[in-house]
Amino acid sequence: MAAKLISGKEIAKTVYEHLKSRIKIIKKICGKTPGLAVILVGNNPASQVYVRMKTKMCEKLGILSEHIELAGSASHQEVIDNVKKLNNNNDIDGILVQLPLPSQCGENIILNTISPDKDVDGFHPENMGNLLIGKPKFIPCTPLGIWVMLKQSGYSPEGKHVVIVGRSNIVGKPMFSILCQKTKYANATVTLCHSRTKNLPEITKTADILIAAIGRPHFITKEMVKPGTVVVDVGINRVDDSSSPRGYKLVGDVDFDEVSKAAEAITPVPGGVGPMTIAMLMNNTILSCETKHGITAPSILD
Ligand code: GUN
């Protein structure tokens, strides 16, 4: 039987209704508009697309957005100086430095310069540490989006075996930190696999929920998935496609056509995790503004 489709695009729409009401409450209480600044260094085509989608969504929701574009040759210090300026800008509640950065820019130092109070990506070590000990302030957007998707589609990870494939700081590690906590919609047994994991198919076949975040097109095949698994595909890979006017198409880390024959439910690419990542960035920016002004709003995970 074909798997149920978990549409991030549809779930994001309900999230946006919730976010719009929170923006209205902020305006009513303190007359402020949440503000997000995005720094893009260089002209990586995928990063340009993501940044455009993020700023467009800010405009749509009525979030103030500042878009800083620096040349690919920008120095490490130039990026640091821009981050420091934004740290001191009272109109800005969230700062995001789009990754990857060119090699002359020290990613860790730059991310650590972002004020933890404006770190809407949740990548600052202080925020990562707080997430690991179960006291999060900002949760990285992609794993937070996956968590919300699982909750909203009725596939709570509680008591389940979740297998994550990919150990990045952006997805794999924070996803692990979220799902192992002793909290509602978490309480999972979590296995974090990666490129050096031995006997990977044997492990993925034990998953109730399988999260693929390894960045390799069609890496998860049907032989790696037991029937009835809920499959979340984080990958957005460009592969050559001469039949497409742009010359490429986007595919996930999962062989969708084959795996969807065995899975209980599956997220598509595009239209799955991607829209949820953007929705969670908006959520974190609003949360930052609420926190600054002492406003407590119900979370999307309540
Ligand atoms: N590059 C790919 N995903 C992300 C993300 O979630 N945040 C940032 N800043 N860069 C990224």
Side-chain angles (χ1 to χ4, degrees):
M1 219 178 73
K4 184 185 156 205
L5 207 64
I6 305 175
S7 168
K9 209 170 153 185
E10 288 306 310
I11 296 171
K13 281 183 193 165
T14 66
V15 171
Y16 286 128
E17 288 313 305
H18 174 77
L19 297 184
K20 278 183 204 160
S21 66
R22 283 167 58 189
I23 294 172
K24 267 192 201 152
I25 292 170
I26 296 172
K27 269 197 189 136
K28 204 169 150 190
I29 293 181
C30 57
K32 297 282 181 193
T33 305
L36 172 68
V38 178
I39 300 178
L40 174 64
V41 188
N43 52 7
N44 176 313
S47 293
Q48 284 174 326
V49 172
Y50 299 143
V51 167
R52 214 174 303 133
M53 290 196 290
K54 288 166 186 175
T55 27
K56 247 173 98 178
M57 190 46 74
C58 283
E59 283 160 22
K60 217 167 153 185
L61 285 179
I63 290 177
L64 188 139
S65 92
E66 188 170 338
H67 179 181
I68 296 170
E69 271 194 35
L70 302 176
S73 57
S75 68
H76 172 79
Q77 194 55 43
E78 211 176 330
V79 183
I80 293 278
D81 291 345
N82 274 281
V83 169
K84 285 184 176 167
K85 240 187 246 167
L86 294 167
N87 282 342
N88 294 320
N89 183 340
N90 212 29
D91 291 331
I92 295 299
D93 300 290
I95 303 169
L96 179 145
V97 177
Q98 186 66 30
L99 304 176
L101 286 166
S103 56
Q104 77 275 12
C105 301
E107 186 177 300
N108 283 341
I109 298 174
I110 290 169
L111 294 181
N112 296 1
T113 304
I114 298 174
S115 160
D117 292 333
K118 296 190 178 188
D119 172 36
V120 286
D121 253 331
F123 295 162
H124 191 286
E126 184 178 312
N127 284 318
M128 281 285 188
N130 282 332
L131 176 62
L132 189 62
I133 62 166
K135 304 273 175 220
K137 186 160 62 186
F138 294 116
I139 301 179
C141 303
T142 300
L144 177 58
I146 295 168
W147 196 22
V148 172
M149 257 176 132
L150 289 171
K151 184 216 157 197
Q152 295 296 94
S153 54
Y155 297 110
S156 171
E158 301 227 15
K160 298 281 166 37
H161 182 207
V162 180
V163 176
I164 302 166
V165 184
R167 57 180 153 183
S168 70
N169 291 338
I170 295 180
V171 185
K173 286 181 205 160
M175 190 80 253
F176 177 92
S177 303
I178 293 170
L179 296 179
C180 71
Q181 299 301 329
K182 198 173 181 178
T183 51
K184 218 166 141 190
Y185 307 119
N187 281 314
T189 304
V190 192
T191 303
L192 183 58
C193 302
H194 47 76
S195 54
R196 306 280 176 96
T197 297
K198 286 208 174 110
N199 305 324
L200 183 63
E202 278 173 31
I203 300 170
T204 56
K205 270 192 282 191
T206 65
D208 301 309
I209 299 173
L210 178 62
I211 301 175
I214 194 139
R216 296 194 202 166
H218 292 175
F219 182 80
I220 303 289
T221 59
K222 75 170 189 307
E223 290 73 29
M224 298 169 80
V225 181
K226 79 168 183 224
T229 308
V230 173
V231 179
V232 177
D233 191 350
V234 184
I236 305 178
N237 308 289
R238 287 183 180 208
V239 297
D240 292 342
D241 179 13
S242 55
S243 69
S244 156
R246 8 177 230 195
Y248 69 88
K249 63 176 177 180
L250 296 177
V251 299
D253 289 354
V254 176
D255 181 351
F256 182 91
D257 291 346
E258 288 301 315
V259 171
S260 60
K261 289 176 190 161
E264 153 75 24
I266 190 165
T267 65
V269 177
V273 174
M276 292 302 292
T277 297
I278 296 175
M280 294 306 111
L281 176 64
M282 302 298 123
N283 172 76
N284 285 355
T285 304
I286 294 164
L287 174 65
S288 175
C289 186
E290 287 164 344
T291 308
K292 185 164 87 184
H293 297 289
I295 300 168
T296 41
S299 135
I300 13 170
L301 281 146
D302 284 345

